[in-house]
Amino acid sequence: MGKEESPQAARRTTRASCAAASNGEVGRSTITPLHNPTVSDLAFGGEPLSSEDLRSSFPARRPQILELVHLLGPHSSPMLPLFVYGGASTGKTTVILQVFRHLNRPFVYASCRTCYSPRILFESILNQLLLHRKNEANGYSSAKRCEKPSDFVNFLREDVGKVVDSLKDHSGKRKSNKSRRWPKGDILYLIIDNLELVREWDKSSSLLPFLFNLYDILKLPNFALIFVSSSSPDTYYSSMGYIEPIPVFFPEYTEEDLRQLLIRNQANQKLYSCFLDIVLRPFSRVTRRLDELSTVFSSLFQKYCEPLSDTSLFPNDEMKRRLFSHFRPYISPALNEIFWGPSQCLSGIESGKVTRQRGSIRKHEDNEDFTEIGFHMSTAAKYLLISAFLASRNPATLDASLFDSTGGSDNRKRKRKASEKSMEQKETVEQESLMKGPGTFPLERLLAIFQCITSVIDVSIDEEEHGDGFSTDGGNSSWLMSNVLSQLSSLCDANFIAKGGSCPLEGSTRYRCTISEDFALKVARSIKFALPNYLCRR
Ligand SMILES: Nc1ncnc2c1ncn2[C@@H]1O[C@H](COP(=O)(O)OP(=O)(O)OP(=O)(O)O)[C@@H](O)[C@H]1O
């Protein structure tokens, strides 16, 4: 079998792993070759999940759970398409699947990560609807071959109709059949996850409008659609004439949310809390992704515990100091790794690279999340892009006044300096820079600004006795330079930075940042960087 999932198995695996992840139990019965699939397989299955268990399984997601339950409404009530979005690893998939488990509704789930082409996506959906499982006996073939959207619509009409009829039929008999837990209602939901990836494999850009139009094309009252995406609605819609789905936003976790989430499965929560007191603040300044933090903290926590003979005890102050001094050397390298490393879930973007995506980037209200710019890149790349933007926007002569000697922006100093300048002089500089467009800059200036602005990340481990800090150079300037060059080359590939030719006097390459201020502000917001404080204002 190729890379494509067996839909039944995949759905079961997804559902089971979600159940396991959130509740520590597997939600579905094991598939056996003798299993005779019925429409009951279209529900999550397994043990019922009460609303209280559902909410307690997902700290910090109570509002989204309530919103989803509210929008799904009572069973058998039609629903307009939903668009569930939020940054990677914010729990969208797991929460939705567990909501379906709780409501016991029938659904088909397809992720554009495993279904990586239109044909695979269509066939995976149809296979699930037809309760068809690929196996050796059928040569791992799909129930129907389906490449074209028009065929998909025709098959869908046919197959959804059949499923709905069975659901209606079964719901009548439900009371008499106690051996199986039948799904509730006669609405069939189609969940399409990781929608942002479609842009990567849909070169003709026709599939997304088709999917957004699907509800209108089908006009099936018993069919509901849920799109799940890690980029915001604004990166998709562009007056294509379809009704925009109802948005449900999963915001980024706060530091407090992360603490709750990370601590909940720990055997010794008090000990883990001491550990989090040291690491959570600095690391959450670099990433708020639960998966990234869980991974890095699991190995760091082992290091933290190394001096302990009994990890079930709560350390006293003396012990805490010993643990910290043992643990301290591991912090900066781990922070550096996460700062420079590519985001683990890159919406179909090459690892470590950044890609400018098609589709409009419209101004909208949800301005606190990176999802608004529709792609992922490493924290370091974001800082570098902002540095390049500053280097292109601000005159080099103002660098010294914008950044203080320790690297950070000293607003008071800057204000004082600014007020010292005559308004006339300032206006001349600004008008000149406006007319010239984004200026070019040498690598050295970019590096200097980058070091200045990353030094204000303020990820120091400064809890009184802890005096460690995070430095982006890892104590090695050639290491820093090679990292910067690699990130810079990615940003050039993505056309965020252009090579502006070489300076005849210096002979070195000059660069120019091509992004708009609006876009730079969005990138800055995603890393909570106060870009306006560093801009030479017009
Ligand atoms: N509030 C939460 N409570 C419990 N677990 C959570 C929560 N948020 C995220 N997780 C866990 O984080 C992991 C990633 O979650 P999930 O895959 O649902 O995120 P996602 O938003 O769908 O990510 P992606 O956009 O990458 O698909 C899962 O193991 C999930 O159980």
Side-chain angles (χ1 to χ4, degrees), residues 357-401:
Q357 289 184 345
R358 281 195 299 272
S360 62
I361 294 164
R362 228 166 53 193
K363 206 173 168 60
H364 73 124
E365 288 71 40
D366 295 319
N367 55 4
E368 52 183 47
D369 200 80
F370 192 47
T371 52
E372 63 182 322
I373 54 178
F375 59 84
H376 303 275
M377 57 174 134
S378 72
T379 312
K382 292 180 206 168
Y383 274 100
L384 198 64
L385 186 55
I386 290 168
S387 308
F389 177 74
L390 287 170
S392 266
R393 252 298 290 276
N394 293 340
T397 46
L398 288 187
D399 282 358
S401 62

Side-chain angles (χ1 to χ4, degrees), residues 18 21-22 57-61 86-95 113 193-194 196 228-230 253 261 264 289-291 345:
C18 284
S22 57
S57 305
F58 296 102
R61 282 293 169 245
S89 205
T90 47
K92 301 178 296 294
T93 310
T94 328
V95 167
R113 192 167 284 149
D193 201 350
N194 304 113
E196 70 283 353
V228 187
S229 163
S230 65
Y253 291 122
L261 284 162
R264 80 208 144 107
R289 288 188 47 170
L290 189 60
D291 55 348
C345 172

Side-chain angles (χ1 to χ4, degrees), residues 6-13 31 37 41 127-128 131-133:
S6 152
Q8 289 294 323
R11 194 174 65 236
R12 283 158 179 273
T13 313
I31 311 167
D41 288 293
N127 285 342
Q128 292 179 65
L131 309 169
H132 170 87
R133 216 178 310 142

